[in-house]
Amino acid sequence: MGDNLKFMLENNPESVFIGCEPYLNGIANLISKLHESDYDRIKIFNNDVRFLLDLVPNNFFSKIVVLFPDPWKKRRHKKRRIFNAKNISLFLHKLKKNGEIYFSTDIEDYFLEVISFFSARSTKFSIRNKKNFYKKPAFLYLTKYAIKAQQNGVSPKYLVVKKK
C-alpha cells in the first residue's frame, strides 16, 4: 500500500526510490500520500519487480527491500515465491558491492528457506542481523502485514544481508 515507501521517503531525504507494485490499489494509495516535493525522488514501476530487474544494469541498487511477499504456502506453489534461489540470484546481480537486501516475513518456513540460501553462500554475503531476526530495521515502517501478524500472535522476522 506504499506506507513503507512513503516512510522511507520522509526519513531519507537524500535517497531516490523505485517502488514496484503490480496492483493499482497499492499504487493509488501511495500516490495519494505523496507530496509534490516527493515526485523527483520516487519512480513507480507498475509490474512485477522481476521485469524491472531485466531492465536495469548489474550493480545498480544500493538497497533492495522486500517486505512480506506472497508466501505461496502450498507446497506445489512454493516455486512462485519471489524469494527463491533463481530470483535471489537475480536480485544479487543487481545489487552493488556492499549493498544490502532487506527481507521480512511472518512465515517460518519461508524465512528459513531464505536464511539457508544465504548461509550456504557466506563467502559472498554476510547476514548482518544474526543475533536478532525479530528486530525491525529502524528505517522500515511497521507495515499492515507486520501488525496483522503480531495481532495473530506471530512475530515477523527480518533479514538483513550485505553483499561482499
Side-chain angles (χ1 to χ4, degrees), residues 35-82:
H35 301 289
E36 194 171 328
S37 60
D38 297 328
Y39 295 170
D40 290 338
R41 298 184 38 237
I42 187 169
K43 303 296 177 212
I44 301 170
F45 188 75
N46 180 21
N47 213 323
D48 187 303
V49 68
R50 291 168 285 201
F51 294 121
L52 174 67
L53 294 177
D54 287 337
L55 300 173
V56 299
N58 288 343
N59 307 306
F60 184 79
F61 295 107
S62 53
K63 284 184 186 173
I64 296 175
V65 179
V66 180
L67 304 177
F68 299 93
D70 192 327
W72 295 102
K73 293 180 185 179
K74 292 181 182 175
R75 184 180 173 144
R76 69 178 185 264
H77 293 157
K78 287 185 179 182
K79 64 182 176 255
R80 297 179 185 175
R81 289 178 168 176
I82 192 75

Short mmCIF file of all heavy atoms in Angstrom, two decimals, residues 35-82:
data_model
loop_
_atom_site.label_atom_id
_atom_site.label_comp_id
_atom_site.label_asym_id
_atom_site.label_seq_id
_atom_site.Cartn_x
_atom_site.Cartn_y
_atom_site.Cartn_z
N HIS A 35 3.72 14.04 -1.55
CA HIS A 35 3.75 15.49 -1.71
C HIS A 35 4.44 15.79 -3.03
O HIS A 35 5.25 15.00 -3.52
CB HIS A 35 4.54 16.15 -0.57
CG HIS A 35 3.97 15.86 0.78
ND1 HIS A 35 2.78 16.39 1.23
CD2 HIS A 35 4.43 15.07 1.79
CE1 HIS A 35 2.53 15.95 2.44
NE2 HIS A 35 3.52 15.15 2.81
N GLU A 36 4.15 16.93 -3.61
CA GLU A 36 4.77 17.29 -4.88
C GLU A 36 6.30 17.25 -4.78
O GLU A 36 6.97 16.88 -5.73
CB GLU A 36 4.30 18.68 -5.32
CG GLU A 36 4.64 18.97 -6.76
CD GLU A 36 3.99 20.25 -7.26
OE1 GLU A 36 2.88 20.59 -6.80
OE2 GLU A 36 4.61 20.89 -8.11
N SER A 37 6.83 17.57 -3.62
CA SER A 37 8.29 17.55 -3.43
C SER A 37 8.87 16.14 -3.50
O SER A 37 10.07 15.97 -3.68
CB SER A 37 8.65 18.19 -2.09
OG SER A 37 8.04 17.48 -1.03
N ASP A 38 8.02 15.11 -3.39
CA ASP A 38 8.48 13.72 -3.48
C ASP A 38 8.66 13.25 -4.92
O ASP A 38 9.37 12.27 -5.16
CB ASP A 38 7.48 12.77 -2.80
CG ASP A 38 7.30 13.01 -1.33
OD1 ASP A 38 8.28 13.42 -0.67
OD2 ASP A 38 6.18 12.78 -0.82
N TYR A 39 8.02 13.90 -5.85
CA TYR A 39 7.95 13.39 -7.22
C TYR A 39 9.30 13.16 -7.87
O TYR A 39 9.46 12.22 -8.65
CB TYR A 39 7.12 14.33 -8.10
CG TYR A 39 5.66 14.44 -7.73
CD1 TYR A 39 4.87 15.41 -8.31
CD2 TYR A 39 5.06 13.61 -6.79
CE1 TYR A 39 3.52 15.54 -7.98
CE2 TYR A 39 3.72 13.73 -6.46
CZ TYR A 39 2.97 14.70 -7.05
OH TYR A 39 1.64 14.82 -6.73
N ASP A 40 10.28 13.99 -7.58
CA ASP A 40 11.61 13.83 -8.19
C ASP A 40 12.42 12.72 -7.55
O ASP A 40 13.47 12.35 -8.07
CB ASP A 40 12.41 15.13 -8.11
CG ASP A 40 11.86 16.22 -9.01
OD1 ASP A 40 11.14 15.87 -9.99
OD2 ASP A 40 12.12 17.40 -8.75
N ARG A 41 11.94 12.19 -6.43
CA ARG A 41 12.72 11.20 -5.69
C ARG A 41 12.12 9.80 -5.71
O ARG A 41 12.61 8.90 -5.07
CB ARG A 41 12.87 11.65 -4.23
CG ARG A 41 13.61 12.96 -4.11
CD ARG A 41 13.86 13.39 -2.68
NE ARG A 41 14.17 12.28 -1.81
CZ ARG A 41 13.47 11.97 -0.70
NH1 ARG A 41 12.43 12.70 -0.34
NH2 ARG A 41 13.81 10.96 0.04
N ILE A 42 11.05 9.64 -6.47
CA ILE A 42 10.40 8.33 -6.50
C ILE A 42 9.94 8.01 -7.91
O ILE A 42 9.45 8.87 -8.63
CB ILE A 42 9.22 8.26 -5.51
CG1 ILE A 42 8.66 6.84 -5.44
CG2 ILE A 42 8.16 9.28 -5.83
CD1 ILE A 42 7.69 6.61 -4.32
N LYS A 43 10.14 6.77 -8.27
CA LYS A 43 9.62 6.22 -9.52
C LYS A 43 8.81 4.99 -9.13
O LYS A 43 9.17 4.24 -8.24
CB LYS A 43 10.75 5.82 -10.47
CG LYS A 43 11.71 6.95 -10.80
CD LYS A 43 11.02 8.06 -11.53
CE LYS A 43 11.98 9.21 -11.77
NZ LYS A 43 11.36 10.49 -11.76
N ILE A 44 7.70 4.79 -9.82
CA ILE A 44 6.84 3.66 -9.52
C ILE A 44 6.77 2.77 -10.74
O ILE A 44 6.43 3.23 -11.84
CB ILE A 44 5.43 4.12 -9.11
CG1 ILE A 44 5.51 5.02 -7.87
CG2 ILE A 44 4.53 2.91 -8.84
CD1 ILE A 44 4.23 5.72 -7.53
N PHE A 45 7.11 1.52 -10.56
CA PHE A 45 7.07 0.52 -11.63
C PHE A 45 5.83 -0.33 -11.42
O PHE A 45 5.73 -1.07 -10.44
CB PHE A 45 8.34 -0.33 -11.60
CG PHE A 45 8.48 -1.25 -12.77
CD1 PHE A 45 8.83 -0.76 -14.02
CD2 PHE A 45 8.27 -2.62 -12.62
CE1 PHE A 45 8.98 -1.62 -15.11
CE2 PHE A 45 8.41 -3.48 -13.70
CZ PHE A 45 8.76 -2.98 -14.94
N ASN A 46 4.87 -0.22 -12.33
CA ASN A 46 3.58 -0.88 -12.20
C ASN A 46 3.63 -2.29 -12.80
O ASN A 46 3.01 -2.57 -13.82
CB ASN A 46 2.50 -0.04 -12.90
CG ASN A 46 1.14 -0.68 -12.81
OD1 ASN A 46 0.89 -1.49 -11.95
ND2 ASN A 46 0.26 -0.31 -13.71
N ASN A 47 4.44 -3.14 -12.16
CA ASN A 47 4.55 -4.51 -12.64
C ASN A 47 5.36 -5.32 -11.64
O ASN A 47 5.82 -4.78 -10.63
CB ASN A 47 5.20 -4.56 -14.03
CG ASN A 47 4.65 -5.69 -14.88
OD1 ASN A 47 4.38 -6.77 -14.38
ND2 ASN A 47 4.49 -5.43 -16.17
N ASP A 48 5.57 -6.55 -11.95
CA ASP A 48 6.37 -7.44 -11.13
C ASP A 48 7.82 -6.96 -11.14
O ASP A 48 8.36 -6.57 -12.18
CB ASP A 48 6.29 -8.85 -11.73
CG ASP A 48 6.94 -9.91 -10.88
OD1 ASP A 48 8.14 -9.78 -10.58
OD2 ASP A 48 6.25 -10.87 -10.52
N VAL A 49 8.47 -6.98 -10.00
CA VAL A 49 9.83 -6.49 -9.86
C VAL A 49 10.80 -7.23 -10.78
O VAL A 49 11.80 -6.66 -11.23
CB VAL A 49 10.30 -6.56 -8.38
CG1 VAL A 49 10.44 -8.00 -7.91
CG2 VAL A 49 11.60 -5.81 -8.19
N ARG A 50 10.53 -8.48 -11.11
CA ARG A 50 11.45 -9.24 -11.98
C ARG A 50 11.55 -8.62 -13.36
O ARG A 50 12.60 -8.68 -13.99
CB ARG A 50 11.02 -10.70 -12.03
CG ARG A 50 11.25 -11.39 -10.68
CD ARG A 50 10.58 -12.72 -10.62
NE ARG A 50 9.14 -12.51 -10.46
CZ ARG A 50 8.32 -13.41 -9.98
NH1 ARG A 50 8.76 -14.59 -9.63
NH2 ARG A 50 7.03 -13.14 -9.85
N PHE A 51 10.48 -7.99 -13.83
CA PHE A 51 10.56 -7.30 -15.13
C PHE A 51 11.46 -6.08 -15.04
O PHE A 51 12.21 -5.78 -15.96
CB PHE A 51 9.16 -6.90 -15.62
CG PHE A 51 8.28 -8.07 -15.93
CD1 PHE A 51 7.08 -8.23 -15.27
CD2 PHE A 51 8.64 -9.02 -16.87
CE1 PHE A 51 6.25 -9.31 -15.54
CE2 PHE A 51 7.83 -10.10 -17.16
CZ PHE A 51 6.62 -10.25 -16.48
N LEU A 52 11.40 -5.38 -13.93
CA LEU A 52 12.28 -4.23 -13.72
C LEU A 52 13.74 -4.68 -13.67
O LEU A 52 14.62 -4.05 -14.25
CB LEU A 52 11.93 -3.49 -12.43
CG LEU A 52 12.88 -2.36 -12.06
CD1 LEU A 52 12.79 -1.22 -13.06
CD2 LEU A 52 12.59 -1.85 -10.65
N LEU A 53 14.00 -5.78 -12.99
CA LEU A 53 15.37 -6.26 -12.85
C LEU A 53 15.99 -6.61 -14.21
O LEU A 53 17.20 -6.50 -14.38
CB LEU A 53 15.42 -7.46 -11.91
CG LEU A 53 15.05 -7.15 -10.47
CD1 LEU A 53 15.06 -8.43 -9.63
CD2 LEU A 53 15.95 -6.10 -9.85
N ASP A 54 15.16 -7.01 -15.15
CA ASP A 54 15.67 -7.27 -16.50
C ASP A 54 16.08 -5.98 -17.21
O ASP A 54 16.85 -6.01 -18.16
CB ASP A 54 14.60 -7.99 -17.35
CG ASP A 54 14.42 -9.44 -16.93
OD1 ASP A 54 15.35 -10.02 -16.33
OD2 ASP A 54 13.33 -10.00 -17.21
N LEU A 55 15.55 -4.85 -16.77
CA LEU A 55 15.79 -3.57 -17.45
C LEU A 55 16.97 -2.78 -16.89
O LEU A 55 17.50 -1.91 -17.58
CB LEU A 55 14.53 -2.71 -17.37
CG LEU A 55 13.27 -3.29 -18.02
CD1 LEU A 55 12.07 -2.40 -17.72
CD2 LEU A 55 13.46 -3.46 -19.51
N VAL A 56 17.35 -3.03 -15.65
CA VAL A 56 18.42 -2.25 -15.02
C VAL A 56 19.75 -3.00 -15.12
O VAL A 56 19.77 -4.23 -15.16
CB VAL A 56 18.11 -1.89 -13.55
CG1 VAL A 56 16.87 -1.05 -13.43
CG2 VAL A 56 18.02 -3.13 -12.69
N PRO A 57 20.86 -2.25 -15.16
CA PRO A 57 22.16 -2.93 -15.25
C PRO A 57 22.52 -3.60 -13.92
O PRO A 57 21.95 -3.30 -12.87
CB PRO A 57 23.13 -1.77 -15.54
CG PRO A 57 22.44 -0.55 -15.05
CD PRO A 57 20.96 -0.80 -15.18
N ASN A 58 23.49 -4.49 -13.98
CA ASN A 58 24.01 -5.10 -12.76
C ASN A 58 24.64 -4.02 -11.89
O ASN A 58 25.04 -2.96 -12.38
CB ASN A 58 25.04 -6.17 -13.09
CG ASN A 58 24.41 -7.42 -13.69
OD1 ASN A 58 23.21 -7.63 -13.59
ND2 ASN A 58 25.22 -8.24 -14.32
N ASN A 59 24.73 -4.28 -10.61
CA ASN A 59 25.33 -3.35 -9.64
C ASN A 59 24.64 -1.99 -9.63
O ASN A 59 25.29 -0.96 -9.52
CB ASN A 59 26.83 -3.19 -9.92
CG ASN A 59 27.55 -4.52 -9.99
OD1 ASN A 59 27.45 -5.32 -9.07
ND2 ASN A 59 28.21 -4.78 -11.10
N PHE A 60 23.34 -1.99 -9.71
CA PHE A 60 22.55 -0.76 -9.83
C PHE A 60 22.02 -0.27 -8.48
O PHE A 60 22.04 0.91 -8.19
CB PHE A 60 21.38 -1.02 -10.78
CG PHE A 60 20.54 0.17 -11.07
CD1 PHE A 60 20.95 1.14 -11.98
CD2 PHE A 60 19.30 0.34 -10.46
CE1 PHE A 60 20.16 2.24 -12.26
CE2 PHE A 60 18.50 1.44 -10.73
CZ PHE A 60 18.93 2.40 -11.63
N PHE A 61 21.52 -1.18 -7.65
CA PHE A 61 20.86 -0.80 -6.40
C PHE A 61 21.81 -0.86 -5.21
O PHE A 61 22.63 -1.75 -5.11
CB PHE A 61 19.68 -1.75 -6.10
CG PHE A 61 18.57 -1.68 -7.11
CD1 PHE A 61 18.37 -2.72 -8.01
CD2 PHE A 61 17.72 -0.59 -7.15
CE1 PHE A 61 17.33 -2.66 -8.93
CE2 PHE A 61 16.69 -0.53 -8.07
CZ PHE A 61 16.50 -1.56 -8.97
N SER A 62 21.62 0.08 -4.28
CA SER A 62 22.37 0.00 -3.03
C SER A 62 21.55 -0.70 -1.95
O SER A 62 22.11 -1.24 -0.99
CB SER A 62 22.80 1.40 -2.56
OG SER A 62 21.71 2.26 -2.51
N LYS A 63 20.23 -0.73 -2.10
CA LYS A 63 19.35 -1.45 -1.18
C LYS A 63 18.20 -2.04 -1.98
O LYS A 63 17.67 -1.39 -2.89
CB LYS A 63 18.75 -0.52 -0.12
CG LYS A 63 19.66 -0.13 0.98
CD LYS A 63 18.92 0.70 2.01
CE LYS A 63 19.91 1.21 3.03
NZ LYS A 63 19.33 2.16 3.96
N ILE A 64 17.82 -3.23 -1.58
CA ILE A 64 16.62 -3.86 -2.11
C ILE A 64 15.80 -4.28 -0.90
O ILE A 64 16.30 -4.96 0.00
CB ILE A 64 16.95 -5.07 -3.01
CG1 ILE A 64 17.73 -4.61 -4.25
CG2 ILE A 64 15.68 -5.82 -3.39
CD1 ILE A 64 18.22 -5.73 -5.15
N VAL A 65 14.55 -3.86 -0.88
CA VAL A 65 13.68 -4.12 0.27
C VAL A 65 12.46 -4.90 -0.22
O VAL A 65 11.74 -4.44 -1.10
CB VAL A 65 13.22 -2.79 0.93
CG1 VAL A 65 12.30 -3.06 2.11
CG2 VAL A 65 14.42 -1.95 1.33
N VAL A 66 12.27 -6.09 0.35
CA VAL A 66 11.13 -6.93 0.02
C VAL A 66 10.43 -7.28 1.33
O VAL A 66 10.96 -8.06 2.13
CB VAL A 66 11.55 -8.21 -0.73
CG1 VAL A 66 10.32 -9.05 -1.07
CG2 VAL A 66 12.34 -7.86 -1.99
N LEU A 67 9.27 -6.69 1.55
CA LEU A 67 8.55 -6.87 2.81
C LEU A 67 7.29 -7.68 2.61
O LEU A 67 6.43 -7.33 1.81
CB LEU A 67 8.19 -5.50 3.41
CG LEU A 67 9.35 -4.53 3.63
CD1 LEU A 67 8.83 -3.20 4.16
CD2 LEU A 67 10.37 -5.13 4.57
N PHE A 68 7.19 -8.76 3.32
CA PHE A 68 6.01 -9.61 3.36
C PHE A 68 5.49 -9.98 1.96
O PHE A 68 4.33 -9.75 1.64
CB PHE A 68 4.91 -8.96 4.21
CG PHE A 68 5.34 -8.77 5.63
CD1 PHE A 68 5.91 -7.56 6.03
CD2 PHE A 68 5.21 -9.78 6.56
CE1 PHE A 68 6.35 -7.38 7.33
CE2 PHE A 68 5.63 -9.61 7.86
CZ PHE A 68 6.21 -8.41 8.25
N PRO A 69 6.37 -10.57 1.14
CA PRO A 69 5.89 -11.00 -0.17
C PRO A 69 4.92 -12.17 -0.02
O PRO A 69 4.89 -12.83 1.03
CB PRO A 69 7.17 -11.46 -0.88
CG PRO A 69 8.07 -11.89 0.24
CD PRO A 69 7.76 -10.94 1.38
N ASP A 70 4.15 -12.41 -1.04
CA ASP A 70 3.19 -13.52 -1.02
C ASP A 70 3.94 -14.80 -0.67
O ASP A 70 4.90 -15.17 -1.34
CB ASP A 70 2.53 -13.65 -2.39
CG ASP A 70 1.32 -14.55 -2.38
OD1 ASP A 70 1.31 -15.54 -1.59
OD2 ASP A 70 0.39 -14.32 -3.15
N PRO A 71 3.53 -15.50 0.39
CA PRO A 71 4.29 -16.67 0.83
C PRO A 71 4.04 -17.95 0.04
O PRO A 71 4.79 -18.90 0.16
CB PRO A 71 3.83 -16.86 2.28
CG PRO A 71 2.46 -16.30 2.32
CD PRO A 71 2.46 -15.16 1.33
N TRP A 72 2.99 -17.99 -0.77
CA TRP A 72 2.66 -19.19 -1.53
C TRP A 72 2.87 -20.41 -0.63
O TRP A 72 3.80 -21.20 -0.82
CB TRP A 72 3.49 -19.29 -2.81
CG TRP A 72 3.19 -18.19 -3.78
CD1 TRP A 72 3.94 -17.08 -4.01
CD2 TRP A 72 2.06 -18.08 -4.65
NE1 TRP A 72 3.35 -16.28 -4.95
CE2 TRP A 72 2.19 -16.88 -5.37
CE3 TRP A 72 0.95 -18.87 -4.88
CZ2 TRP A 72 1.25 -16.46 -6.31
CZ3 TRP A 72 0.02 -18.45 -5.82
CH2 TRP A 72 0.18 -17.27 -6.51
N LYS A 73 1.99 -20.60 0.31
CA LYS A 73 2.14 -21.60 1.36
C LYS A 73 2.03 -23.05 0.88
O LYS A 73 2.67 -23.93 1.44
CB LYS A 73 1.11 -21.36 2.47
CG LYS A 73 1.35 -20.08 3.23
CD LYS A 73 0.30 -19.91 4.30
CE LYS A 73 0.45 -18.58 5.00
NZ LYS A 73 -0.58 -18.40 6.03
N LYS A 74 1.21 -23.29 -0.13
CA LYS A 74 1.05 -24.68 -0.59
C LYS A 74 2.34 -25.17 -1.23
O LYS A 74 3.00 -24.43 -1.98
CB LYS A 74 -0.10 -24.79 -1.59
CG LYS A 74 -1.45 -24.55 -0.97
CD LYS A 74 -2.56 -24.70 -2.00
CE LYS A 74 -3.90 -24.41 -1.37
NZ LYS A 74 -4.98 -24.44 -2.37
N ARG A 75 2.67 -26.41 -0.96
CA ARG A 75 3.94 -26.98 -1.45
C ARG A 75 4.10 -26.83 -2.96
O ARG A 75 5.16 -26.45 -3.44
CB ARG A 75 4.03 -28.44 -1.03
CG ARG A 75 5.32 -29.09 -1.40
CD ARG A 75 5.35 -30.53 -0.97
NE ARG A 75 6.55 -31.13 -1.50
CZ ARG A 75 7.26 -32.02 -0.87
NH1 ARG A 75 6.87 -32.44 0.30
NH2 ARG A 75 8.33 -32.52 -1.42
N ARG A 76 3.06 -27.10 -3.70
CA ARG A 76 3.16 -27.04 -5.16
C ARG A 76 3.31 -25.61 -5.69
O ARG A 76 3.66 -25.41 -6.83
CB ARG A 76 1.97 -27.75 -5.80
CG ARG A 76 0.65 -27.05 -5.63
CD ARG A 76 -0.46 -27.82 -6.34
NE ARG A 76 -1.71 -27.12 -6.29
CZ ARG A 76 -2.66 -27.34 -5.39
NH1 ARG A 76 -2.48 -28.26 -4.46
NH2 ARG A 76 -3.78 -26.65 -5.42
N HIS A 77 3.02 -24.62 -4.85
CA HIS A 77 3.11 -23.22 -5.26
C HIS A 77 4.39 -22.53 -4.81
O HIS A 77 4.67 -21.41 -5.23
CB HIS A 77 1.92 -22.43 -4.71
CG HIS A 77 0.61 -22.85 -5.30
ND1 HIS A 77 -0.57 -22.65 -4.66
CD2 HIS A 77 0.31 -23.47 -6.46
CE1 HIS A 77 -1.57 -23.12 -5.40
NE2 HIS A 77 -1.05 -23.63 -6.50
N LYS A 78 5.19 -23.17 -3.96
CA LYS A 78 6.37 -22.51 -3.38
C LYS A 78 7.35 -22.01 -4.44
O LYS A 78 8.06 -21.04 -4.21
CB LYS A 78 7.06 -23.41 -2.37
CG LYS A 78 6.25 -23.52 -1.09
CD LYS A 78 6.97 -24.32 -0.04
CE LYS A 78 6.11 -24.36 1.21
NZ LYS A 78 6.75 -25.07 2.29
N LYS A 79 7.36 -22.65 -5.60
CA LYS A 79 8.27 -22.20 -6.67
C LYS A 79 7.91 -20.79 -7.16
O LYS A 79 8.71 -20.13 -7.80
CB LYS A 79 8.25 -23.20 -7.82
CG LYS A 79 6.91 -23.30 -8.52
CD LYS A 79 6.92 -24.33 -9.64
CE LYS A 79 5.55 -24.47 -10.25
NZ LYS A 79 4.87 -25.69 -9.85
N ARG A 80 6.72 -20.32 -6.83
CA ARG A 80 6.29 -18.97 -7.23
C ARG A 80 6.80 -17.87 -6.30
O ARG A 80 6.63 -16.69 -6.60
CB ARG A 80 4.76 -18.91 -7.26
CG ARG A 80 4.13 -19.83 -8.25
CD ARG A 80 2.63 -19.72 -8.19
NE ARG A 80 2.00 -20.70 -9.06
CZ ARG A 80 0.71 -20.89 -9.13
NH1 ARG A 80 -0.11 -20.17 -8.38
NH2 ARG A 80 0.21 -21.79 -9.93
N ARG A 81 7.38 -18.24 -5.18
CA ARG A 81 7.85 -17.25 -4.22
C ARG A 81 8.86 -16.31 -4.87
O ARG A 81 9.74 -16.75 -5.62
CB ARG A 81 8.50 -17.94 -3.01
CG ARG A 81 7.50 -18.62 -2.13
CD ARG A 81 8.17 -19.33 -0.97
NE ARG A 81 7.16 -19.74 0.00
CZ ARG A 81 7.42 -20.45 1.08
NH1 ARG A 81 8.66 -20.83 1.36
NH2 ARG A 81 6.45 -20.77 1.91
N ILE A 82 8.73 -15.03 -4.57
CA ILE A 82 9.65 -14.04 -5.13
C ILE A 82 11.07 -14.28 -4.62
O ILE A 82 12.03 -14.04 -5.32
CB ILE A 82 9.16 -12.59 -4.86
CG1 ILE A 82 9.95 -11.58 -5.68
CG2 ILE A 82 9.26 -12.24 -3.39
CD1 ILE A 82 9.61 -11.55 -7.11
#
